[in-house]
C-alpha cells in the first residue's frame, strides 16, 4: 500500500475492475435500504412480544439473517465481488455452524453417552465462588431481567 | 436499549454513503471524510448508550459473575464495544487522509470493516435483548 496512492478520478477506488467504486456499480438508494432495516428491526422487536416460540425464532433470528444479508450485499458491496469471495464467506459460515454444533451439546446438556457433568459444573456456572452460591443469583424472574 | 441498533444503523448508513463521492467519479475526499466523521459520531452514540446501560446493570447487581447469561452479555457486548472503538480510531485516521484526497481506497476498506462489526451486532442484539 503506497503512502500517496490516490483513488482514480474515474472507475475504481481500489483498483479492481469491478470494485465498489466502479462507475458502472449499481445505483443504491441507501436511505431506502436503511428504512427497510429499521422496519425489520421493529419486526424483530415486536414479534417476540407475541410469546409464540416459533414466531420469536423467525422474527428475531430469521430477520437478523435478512438484515445481515442486506448489509453485506448493499453496504459491503458483496454483490459485485468476485465469486470466490462468496465461497470464502460460505466456508466461514459452515465452519461457524460446525463450531456451534460441536460445542452446544457440551454446554447445553447435563449428561450424554458415558458422561455426566458433576454437580459443581452448573454450580460454578451460576457463581464464580461455590461457597457464595445464591449471593449473586437473582430471583426466579431474573432470567427475564435481561437489559 | 432499543435505541442501540438505531445508532448502529445510523452510523452504518453514513458509512454506506461514504462511497458515493467516489462512485460519482470525482475526488470528493472531503465529503467522504464528513460522512466518516458522522459514522464515528454514530459509534460514539452507541458507546455512550452502552456505558449508561452497563452502569445501570452493575448498580442493580448484575455483574460478570452473576450467571451464564451475564458472563456472556458482558463478554460479547464488551468485545463488540472494543471493535467499535478500534473502528472509530481507524475511521478518524482514514477520514483525515480522505479530507486531503489521499488514500481514498482506504475509505472502502474501513467501511467494510465497520459493516462487519455492524453485522455482528445484528446477531448479538436478538441474542442479548430479545431471546428469552
Amino acid at each position: 500500500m503506497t503512502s500517496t496512492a490516490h483513488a482514480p478520478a474515474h472507475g475504481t477506488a481500489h483498483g479492481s475492475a469491478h470494485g465498489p467504486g466502479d462507475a458502472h456499480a449499481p445505483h443504491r438508494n441507501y436511505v431506502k435500504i436503511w428504512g427497510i432495516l429499521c422496519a425489520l428491526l421493529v419486526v424483530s422487536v415486536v414479534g417476540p412480544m407475541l410469546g409464540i416460540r416459533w414466531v420469536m425464532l423467525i422474527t428475531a433470528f430469521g430477520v437478523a439473517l435478512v438484515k445481515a444479508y442486506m448489509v453485506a450485499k448493499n453496504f459491503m458491496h458483496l454483490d459485485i465481488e468476485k465469486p470466490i469471495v462468496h465461497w470464502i464467506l460460505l466456508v466461514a459460515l459452515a465452519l461457524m455452524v460446525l463450531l456451534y454444533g460441536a460445542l452446544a451439546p457440551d454446554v447445553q446438556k447435563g449428561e450424554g453417552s458415558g458422561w455426566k457433568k458433576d454437580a459443581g459444573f452448573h454450580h460454578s456456572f451460576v457463581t464464580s465462588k461455590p461457597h457464595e452460591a445464591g449471593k449473586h443469583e437473582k430471583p426466579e424472574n431474573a432470567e427475564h431481567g435481561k437489559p | 436499549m432499543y435505541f442501540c441498533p438505531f445508532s448502529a444503523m445510523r452510523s452504518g448508513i453514513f458509512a454506506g454513503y461514504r462511497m458515493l463521492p467516489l462512485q460519482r467519479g470525482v475526488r470528493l475526499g472531503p465529503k467522504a471524510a464528513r460522512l466518516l466523521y458522522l459514522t464515528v459520531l454514530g459509534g460514539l452514540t452507541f458507546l455512550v448508550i452502552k456505558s449508561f446501560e452497563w452502569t445501570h446493570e452493575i448498580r442493580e447487581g448484575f455483574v460478570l459473575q452473576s450467571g451464564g447469561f451475564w458472563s456472556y452479555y458482558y463478554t460479547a457486548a464488551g468485545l463488540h464495544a472494543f471493535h467499535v472503538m478500534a473502528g472509530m480510531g481507524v475511521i478518524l485516521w482514514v477520514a483525515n487522509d480522505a479530507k486531503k484526497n489521499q488514500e481514498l481506497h482506504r475509505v472502502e476498506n474501513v467501511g467494510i470493516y465497520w459493516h462487519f462489526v455492524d453485522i455482528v451486532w445484528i446477531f448479538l442484539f436478538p441474542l442479548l435483548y430479545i431471546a428469552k
Side-chain angles (χ1 to χ4, degrees):
Chain A
M1 204 177 280
T2 61
S3 59
T4 56
H6 287 206
H10 294 280
T12 67
H14 60 38
S16 166
H18 302 288
D22 195 318
H24 302 293
H27 174 71
R28 301 171 205 273
N29 187 337
Y30 289 110
V31 174
K32 184 181 172 186
I33 296 162
W34 178 79
I36 295 171
L37 286 171
C38 286
L40 288 173
L41 171 67
V42 173
V43 171
S44 66
V45 171
V46 172
M49 289 179 179
L50 298 175
I52 305 169
R53 186 175 173 79
W54 66 269
V55 174
M56 185 270 286
L57 286 172
I58 290 174
T59 54
F61 298 103
V63 168
L65 281 172
V66 174
K67 284 163 66 181
Y69 171 75
M70 288 183 68
V71 170
K73 177 178 180 286
N74 297 296
F75 288 163
M76 299 174 82
H77 310 122
L78 195 65
D79 54 342
I80 52 173
E81 288 292 349
K82 295 171 184 171
I84 191 164
V85 175
H86 296 86
W87 285 108
I88 291 171
L89 182 65
L90 284 173
V91 169
L93 283 173
L95 289 173
M96 189 180 73
V97 171
L98 183 67
L99 178 71
Y100 178 81
L103 291 179
D106 287 347
V107 175
Q108 296 176 346
K109 290 176 69 178
E111 60 184 9
S113 176
W115 62 273
K116 185 178 182 180
K117 288 175 184 168
D118 59 28
F121 179 83
H122 289 293
H123 193 67
S124 61
F125 201 61
V126 171
T127 172
S128 58
K129 298 175 182 176
H131 64 277
E132 291 181 356
K135 188 173 180 179
H136 295 295
E137 291 179 39
K138 302 302 289 184
E140 274 302 305
N141 60 356
E143 188 184 348
H144 300 292
K146 294 175 182 178
Chain B
M1 73 178 198
Y2 292 133
F3 187 70
C4 292
F6 280 114
S7 67
M9 278 199 289
R10 188 169 58 184
S11 63
I13 192 175
F14 292 137
Y17 265 121
R18 76 200 179 274
M19 288 307 296
L20 283 185
L22 309 183
Q23 285 172 338
R24 286 173 183 156
V26 185
R27 285 185 187 171
L28 291 177
K31 187 171 185 181
R34 280 198 295 277
L35 293 169
L36 288 174
Y37 289 136
L38 288 172
T39 303
V40 171
L41 191 64
L44 193 63
T45 307
F46 175 84
L47 292 175
V48 169
I49 292 170
K50 280 289 129 198
S51 63
F52 277 107
E53 182 185 313
W54 278 30
T55 303
H56 173 73
E57 302 300 346
I58 291 168
R59 280 183 178 161
E60 289 288 313
F62 295 107
V63 293
L64 193 67
Q65 298 94 339
S66 295
F69 169 77
W70 293 102
S71 174
Y72 173 70
Y73 168 78
Y74 284 112
T75 304
L79 279 173
H80 182 72
F82 273 123
H83 281 84
V84 170
M85 283 188 279
M88 286 166 62
V90 176
I91 286 174
L92 282 176
W93 184 16
V94 171
N96 283 334
D97 281 342
K99 200 163 54 179
K100 295 175 271 185
N101 276 321
Q102 291 176 352
E103 308 281 10
L104 292 185
H105 60 288
R106 288 182 181 171
V107 175
E108 169 67 7
N109 296 340
V110 78
I112 289 174
Y113 168 80
W114 191 255
H115 288 300
F116 160 72
V117 176
D118 189 19
I119 286 178
V120 171
W121 186 253
I122 283 175
F123 288 102
L124 280 181
F125 177 69
L127 282 170
L128 298 178
Y129 297 98
I130 295 178
K132 293 190 172 91

